[in-house]
Amino acid sequence: MNRSFNEEEETYYYYSEQMLNDKVVIKENTFMTIDDNVETIISVEHLNDLDAEDFTMYWDDLLSPIQSYRIIKDIYELYQEHSLSSFLEIIRELSVSYTSALMQSREENKQRIVDGIRETFNSFEVVQV
């Protein structure tokens, strides 16, 4: 698994060549809230011809590097051990929140989700290790 950092967004992106082929990426973002708390979000994003999906796996207090590593590693292992459709089903069940473009009733909301996830795949430089 490769990791790329987007300084502008202060976000790490985790991926493999196969994940990129399947349009799947794991994102990790740590940020300061308005009340000066530090939080971490770990999510999985997936894009295909029919839908764009965002699975939030963790969104809470700041994680230590080893905690983040373990969550991301577990997600990656699930990806490696299952077919794409099974992986997405498992991730949906394990996520703390889930957003899908197809779930939206308003067209502008659908497009916002699709555009946001498309932008994810343009937000980082693919690094080959």
Side-chain angles (χ1 to χ4, degrees):
M1 180 168 49
N2 300 309
R3 180 174 86 162
S4 185
F5 183 69
N6 180 309
E7 288 185 37
E8 186 177 307
E9 296 178 2
E10 297 186 19
T11 300
Y12 283 102
Y13 297 92
Y14 299 86
Y15 57 90
S16 66
E17 185 176 333
Q18 186 58 47
M19 288 173 73
L20 293 178
N21 289 339
D22 287 337
K23 296 282 193 204
V24 173
V25 68
I26 302 168
K27 290 173 54 174
E28 176 190 13
N29 181 280
T30 299
F31 62 96
M32 186 158 306
T33 64
I34 6 179
D35 54 354
D36 292 331
N37 291 325
V38 180
E39 294 186 355
T40 299
I41 298 176
I42 297 175
S43 61
V44 175
E45 293 190 359
H46 175 248
L47 180 66
N48 64 34
D49 294 338
L50 302 174
D51 201 4
E53 302 170 294
D54 184 325
F55 307 89
T56 303
M57 306 309 294
Y58 180 88
W59 187 343
D60 209 332
D61 295 332
L62 176 66
L63 294 174
S64 70
I66 193 68
Q67 290 171 311
S68 291
Y69 172 79
R70 186 70 246 181
I71 293 170
I72 291 163
K73 185 174 188 262
D74 287 348
I75 293 168
Y76 184 63
E77 286 174 358
L78 285 170
Y79 173 79
Q80 289 181 303
E81 294 168 0
H82 296 85
S83 67
L84 178 60
S85 59
S86 293
F87 168 74
L88 294 173
E89 185 177 320
I90 292 166
I91 290 299
R92 187 177 300 114
E93 291 172 6
L94 296 176
S95 65
V96 295
S97 74
Y98 168 69
T99 303
S100 165
L102 287 178
M103 291 173 47
Q104 307 304 308
S105 57
R106 299 180 61 174
E107 193 59 40
E108 58 269 16
N109 292 341
K110 288 179 185 180
Q111 196 58 52
R112 181 180 50 79
I113 292 169
V114 170
D115 291 345
I117 293 177
R118 264 195 198 123
E119 183 58 34
T120 291
F121 288 92
N122 296 323
S123 295
F124 62 94
E125 182 179 329
V126 174
V127 177
Q128 297 298 328
V129 178

